[in-house]
Every structure is written in structure tokens, then in C-alpha cells.
């Protein structure tokens, strides 16, 4: 693989990502992140490495102070590492400029947030269309695609509703449809069920599982073992390092061990 900070991020489908990078949606190697503060240097990530094959469904877990939030920001191209490599498709994202990172966020990633992040003044359809509007790609065909995505998540009969007219689960369905509108290489879901009741949590997880069964790559950050159990694989962080990477069944022992240890100052 040849990394180039000068190669602009380009829209592509999840399928093409597999061809470009040997079937890996994401590959990170020895990823580090340090913050220089008045009191000294804080090492939030100390050398994290793992791959996410195209079509995988990975949960990321860890106690407070494990580095989970820092990793989330790096995977979402909201920050740059201070060391290591982060490949998305063929490109080393760690070396990209601010403009290239913005391109990546707009064309290659789909985001699902705990708090939904819908615009209250917009309808369901308009919220789904929003990423296309920002990228200047909203047209007749793309509008039809947005309507199809709304139907896919069970909201085809609520296109003109606004967020305040929807339940929490319905709002999260809008957010999931919005995350798919650019045909991203992977979905990054940050505690997507954190604000939902048990029954609605199961509905959203069933929806995500269905998307994964269709071939979508999903990275899901959660603190709930019951949610992680429904993914294919769990990565557990502690003190800025990966301490477990395997089937969710084996992650509980790693989590229990993590909670019995105090992390060093500053792992986030």
C-alpha cells in the first residue's frame, strides 16, 4: 500500500473499498495519540492495532479512561494521530490534510450518534438528504434514494414528520438512513442505543444487524455487553491499548479485569 497525503479522498462504494485494500475497510497499525497539556504529556492511545475486514460488525468497549473516545475521534477522521497508520481503503488517513479529512467524512463514513443529531426544523426526508445537500449532490435521483432509505428503515409513511413528532427509536432510524445516503465504506455508531429503552434498543440492533447481513461494515462503540454480544467481534481497550480482540463471548473477562484496574492519568 502506498500512502499519499496529496491524493484527494474520492467517493467510492463499500464494494470498491474491498478491491482497493485486500478486503479491509479499516486497517490501523501502532496508532498513538498524545495530548500536550500544561501539566505534561497525556498518552491517550499507546499503540493500537487491528483490522476491520469489509462486512465485519465490530464492537469497541472499554472502561472510562481506556482511550475509547480518542479512538472514536480518530476513526471518525475528527482528529489526527500523533503516531502510527490508519488506512481507509488505500489511503493513509493519518497523513491527510484538513480538507482531505473533510472529504473522507463526507464521502466514505456514515455516522450514527447516541443523541441522533437531527435538525428539528427539517422533516424526516430533509434530514436524510442533508449530507447530499452539503456535498452539492442533491438531485432528483438522490432524492428518490433518500425516500427508499426512509422506507428501508420503516419510515416511508413519515417523510414529512419532524423529529419532535417521532419517538426516540424513530429518530434513530432517521439517523441510520442519513448515515447510508452516501453509500459509506463503513458505519461508525457511537452508543446508538444509549438513549433508548430495551425494546427499542433491540429494534435498532436488529436494523443494524440486517444492514451488516447485506454487507455493510459497522464499527459500534458501546459500554453495554448485551449490545456487544450481538456483534461479530469485540475489541476491548484498557490504558490506551488493545487487551482483547475476539468473539464477544470472551470479552467480559477482559472488561472485568479492566474495571479492577485504575488507568493512567489522561487515557480518554
Amino acid at each position: 500500500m502506498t500512502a499519499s497525503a496529496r491524493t484527494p479522498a474520492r467517493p467510492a462504494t463499500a464494494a470498491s473499498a474491498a478491491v482497493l485494500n485486500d478486503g479491509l475497510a479499516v486497517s490501523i497499525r501502532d496508532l498513538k495519540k498524545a495530548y500536550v497539556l500544561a501539566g505534561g504529556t497525556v498518552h491517550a492511545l499507546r499503540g493500537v492495532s487491528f483490522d476491520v475486514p469489509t462486512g465485519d460488525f465490530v464492537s469497541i468497549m472499554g472502561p472510562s479512561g481506556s482511550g475509547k473516545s480518542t479512538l472514536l475521534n480518530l476513526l471518525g477522521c475528527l482528529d489526527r494521530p500523533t503516531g502510527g497508520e490508519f488506512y481507509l481503503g488505500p489511503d493513509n488517513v493519518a497523513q491527510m490534510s484538513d480538507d482531505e479529512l473533510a472529504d473522507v467524512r463526507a464521502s466514505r463514513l456514515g455516522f450514527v450518534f447516541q443523541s441522533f443529531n437531527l435538525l428539528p426544523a427539517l422533516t424526516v426526508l430533509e434530514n436524510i438528504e442533508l449530507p447530499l445537500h452539503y456535498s452539492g449532490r442533491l438531485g432528483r435521483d438522490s432524492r428518490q434514494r433518500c425516500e427508499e432509505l426512509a422506507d428501508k428503515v420503516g419510515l416511508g409513511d413519515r417523510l414529512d414528520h419532524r423529529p419532535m413528532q417521532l419517538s426516540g427509536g424513530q429518530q434513530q432510524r432517521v439517523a441510520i438512513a442519513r448515515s447510508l445516503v452516501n453509500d459509506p465504506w463503513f458505519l461508525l455508531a457511537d452508543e446508538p442505543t444509549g438513549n433508548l429503552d430495551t425494546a427499542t434498543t433491540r429494534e435498532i440492533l436488529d436494523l443494524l444487524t440486517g444492514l451488516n447481513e447485506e454487507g455493510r461494515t459497522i464499527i459500534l462503540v458501546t459500554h453495554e455487553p448485551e449490545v456487544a454480544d450481538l456483534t461479530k467481534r469485540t475489541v476491548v481497550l484498557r490504558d490506551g491499548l488493545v487487551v482483547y480482540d475476539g468473539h464477544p463471548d470472551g470479552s467480559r473477562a477482559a472488561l472485568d479485569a479492566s474495571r479492577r484496574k485504575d488507568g493512567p492519568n489522561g487515557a480518554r
Side-chain angles (χ1 to χ4, degrees):
M1 294 181 291
T2 300
S4 172
R6 296 179 296 277
T7 301
R10 52 197 178 280
T13 64
S16 67
V19 174
L20 289 168
N21 203 24
D22 299 326
L24 296 179
V26 174
S27 180
I28 62 177
R29 287 290 176 271
D30 199 29
L31 207 63
K32 298 181 175 72
K33 181 64 180 179
Y35 299 91
V36 179
L37 306 175
T41 300
V42 173
H43 297 279
L45 293 180
R46 300 166 178 268
V48 170
S49 299
F50 62 86
D51 294 330
V52 180
T54 300
D56 208 353
F57 191 176
V58 181
S59 50
I60 296 177
M61 304 190 74
S64 177
S66 64
K68 190 169 71 257
S69 297
T70 299
L71 179 60
L72 179 68
N73 285 338
L74 296 178
L75 290 173
C77 298
L78 299 170
D79 200 358
R80 289 191 192 86
T82 48
E85 297 178 332
F86 169 20
Y87 280 93
L88 184 58
D91 299 319
N92 189 355
V93 180
Q95 298 180 2
M96 287 185 176
S97 68
D98 288 343
D99 287 345
E100 288 168 335
L101 289 175
D103 255 350
V104 167
R105 291 194 297 271
S107 63
R108 298 189 189 182
L109 308 183
F111 295 91
V112 181
F113 303 96
Q114 178 177 347
S115 55
F116 319 134
N117 286 12
L118 303 180
L119 294 187
L122 301 186
T123 65
V124 165
L125 182 59
E126 290 167 341
N127 268 287
I128 296 172
E129 292 173 341
L130 205 56
L132 297 176
H133 174 75
Y134 285 142
S135 61
R137 292 187 286 142
L138 184 59
R140 180 178 300 174
D141 290 344
S142 56
R143 178 156 288 158
Q144 180 179 348
R145 170 169 167 74
C146 293
E147 292 176 356
E148 291 170 353
L149 285 171
D151 191 57
K152 183 181 186 68
V153 300
L155 294 174
D157 59 344
R158 290 175 167 79
L159 296 180
D160 295 326
H161 285 58
R162 286 179 167 75
M164 290 301 292
Q165 297 172 296
L166 304 175
S167 68
Q170 289 170 332
Q171 290 185 58
Q172 193 60 290
R173 287 173 180 269
V174 177
I176 291 171
R178 179 185 60 194
S179 76
L180 295 169
V181 76
N182 283 327
D183 195 19
W185 289 11
F186 71 88
L187 299 185
L188 186 59
D190 180 16
E191 300 280 4
T193 61
N195 287 341
L196 305 177
D197 60 34
T198 302
T200 309
T201 289
R202 186 64 203 219
E203 291 174 4
I204 294 301
L205 291 174
D206 285 347
L207 177 57
L208 292 173
T209 299
L211 291 171
N212 176 248
E213 290 172 349
E214 294 173 3
R216 290 285 173 187
T217 307
I218 302 175
I219 300 175
L220 182 151
V221 177
T222 183
H223 67 279
E224 301 175 82
E226 296 79 9
V227 171
D229 284 346
L230 298 176
T231 65
K232 294 178 178 176
R233 173 178 155 217
T234 298
V235 174
V236 178
L237 297 180
R238 184 177 71 218
D239 300 348
L241 294 168
V242 173
V243 296
Y244 179 83
D245 183 353
H247 193 276
D249 285 350
S251 66
R252 292 177 186 261
L255 283 167
D256 289 343
S258 296
R259 294 187 180 109
R260 289 194 297 268
K261 291 178 175 287
D262 292 326
N265 291 336
R268 302 182 177 188

